Amino acid sequence: MTGTIFDIQKYSLHDGPGIRTLVFMKGCPMRCRWCSNPESQKTGVQVGYTQKNCIRCGKCAAVCPDRAIQGPDYGIIRERCTGCSKCAAVCPVQAKKMIGSQVTVEELMEIIAEDRLFYRNSGGGATIGGGEPALQSAFVNQLLKRCRQESISTCIETCAYAEAEQFEETIEYADLVLFDLKHMNSAKHKSLTGAGNEKILRNAYRLKKDQPVIFRVPLIPGLNDSFKNLEETVLFAAQFENAQRVELLPYHSLGESKYQWIGEDYELSGLQTYSEEQKQELSRWIADQNYPIEIKLV
């Protein structure tokens, strides 16, 4: 069995407890307007192009079987590109680079197990995110099962937009679930992500009773950060006995440059990140609440 990933990040401190290895699965059923990993969205491998690195040697155009690369700038005509990888193979400066690779469970386990000592000393482990892991549920299930067999703590980061069977298979061997909630109003959720939230909210009730969950909200200025939406989100999360807390993740624009890399436009270009004053206002709101669940500004 193989899965498609687009990145592995070691020594992470932000996606689960302790020091962790993050495995990013490729493919996502939603199209969040603020997505910081747009290269994760398509399920198959694709070609990234960094124009500033290109030396205009023309080698890529010469080997492209689909005539998807032409001078004088040697950019990629995306509607023609089939992701065959021939251009990336001959590029001498990696201006063109493949995004995504096929891996086996055993290949990933070799990488994850390298840092077993760090996991043991910090209470860390492996976190599987994406993209959306549920799109490759059978593969993720086997990967987390192997981690369990090796006594490595497991965590899933999910948008939970998946069929019930896929979702349950994905989280079966997860010691912790990081469960994203984008907006509690389904119509607004659809306008922000391309999908309604009904399936997501139903899947929250499919979490196992003894399975800890952290609900996370990416706070996007003017889109989902109203106190009304935050209150509805917290009240939803508070009903779950296995919920540890609600984490609020303020918007950042670090992924904006990736859109040009994959030949797409960033819809929220120019959106300002949170000021210190806005963060303090959020902190005051959190302090004023009296809900039976912790709210944390990350």
Side-chain angles (χ1 to χ4, degrees):
M1 182 183 293
T2 61
T4 306
I5 66 171
F6 71 92
D7 198 9
I8 298 173
Q9 180 181 323
K10 290 194 165 196
Y11 314 119
S12 173
L13 300 173
H14 304 293
D15 294 280
I19 297 172
R20 310 193 71 83
T21 295
L22 271 57
V23 178
F24 294 86
M25 307 303 298
K26 205 165 187 320
C28 185
M30 298 204 300
R31 295 294 181 267
C32 299
R33 295 169 63 185
W34 56 85
C35 181
S36 59
N37 289 321
E39 74 275 29
S40 74
Q41 294 176 355
K42 292 185 178 180
T43 54
V45 297
Q46 62 194 118
V47 184
Y49 175 49
T50 307
Q51 186 176 22
K52 66 181 181 179
N53 292 349
C54 182
I55 59 175
R56 313 295 193 271
C57 67
K59 291 182 179 180
C60 54
V63 299
C64 180
D66 305 303
R67 294 181 56 80
I69 303 172
Q70 299 176 13
D73 63 350
Y74 297 103
I76 301 172
I77 304 173
R78 294 288 173 176
E79 57 268 25
R80 293 185 184 178
C81 179
T82 58
C84 71
S85 81
K86 292 183 178 180
C87 61
V90 300
C91 182
V93 292
Q94 291 193 315
K96 292 183 175 67
K97 188 175 180 180
M98 298 309 296
I99 305 169
S101 60
Q102 293 283 321
V103 294
T104 66
V105 169
E106 290 305 318
E107 286 171 336
L108 280 180
M109 283 305 303
E110 286 185 15
I111 297 170
I112 292 171
E114 288 174 350
D115 296 323
R116 189 191 303 273
L117 181 62
F118 293 106
Y119 309 149
R120 185 182 304 125
N121 290 340
S122 69
T127 296
I128 315 302
E132 172 48 50
L135 284 187
Q136 302 184 62
S137 58
F139 179 84
V140 171
N141 177 278
Q142 291 305 303
L143 177 60
L144 296 190
K145 183 178 181 180
R146 286 282 289 110
C147 286
R148 280 273 187 93
Q149 291 169 350
E150 298 291 331
S151 299
I152 295 173
S153 173
T154 57
C155 176
I156 282 288
E157 181 182 4
T158 179
C159 72
Y161 188 80
E163 299 302 325
E165 184 177 351
Q166 283 181 308
F167 182 74
E168 290 173 355
E169 184 176 41
T170 303
I171 66 168
E172 181 177 0
Y173 295 106
D175 297 320
L176 172 67
V177 177
L178 304 178
F179 194 111
D180 285 359
L181 293 172
K182 320 288 189 182
H183 206 294
M184 294 305 293
N185 179 284
S186 186
K188 291 181 179 178
H189 192 283
K190 186 172 183 178
S191 73
L192 297 176
T193 71
N197 68 6
E198 291 87 356
K199 191 178 293 186
I200 294 167
L201 300 184
R202 284 197 299 268
N203 279 334
Y205 294 100
R206 294 189 172 96
L207 293 163
K208 292 181 286 186
K209 300 299 183 183
D210 60 346
Q211 191 169 46
V213 58
I214 296 174
F215 290 99
R216 306 206 301 180
V217 186
L219 292 181
I220 316 302
L223 298 183
N224 72 340
D225 62 342
S226 69
F227 290 138
K228 179 179 184 296
N229 182 58
L230 294 183
E231 181 175 59
E232 290 178 0
T233 303
V234 172
L235 288 173
F236 177 81
Q239 67 182 298
F240 296 92
E241 293 182 6
N242 53 332
Q244 293 186 338
R245 62 181 173 272
V246 175
E247 292 185 347
L248 308 181
L249 288 65
Y251 167 77
H252 64 76
S253 59
L254 298 178
E256 183 172 354
S257 61
K258 294 182 178 182
Y259 285 79
Q260 186 177 13
W261 186 40
I262 60 173
E264 296 184 6
D265 295 326
Y266 184 57
E267 291 187 32
L268 300 184
S269 182
L271 183 66
Q272 296 297 309
T273 57
Y274 281 86
S275 65
E276 285 305 313
E277 182 179 347
Q278 288 173 310
K279 290 180 181 179
Q280 289 173 9
E281 184 181 6
L282 279 169
S283 296
R284 287 193 293 270
W285 178 82
I286 292 171
D288 288 342
Q289 306 313 307
N290 190 31
Y291 300 117
I293 187 171
E294 179 188 3
I295 309 170
K296 183 177 180 181
L297 184 62
V298 177

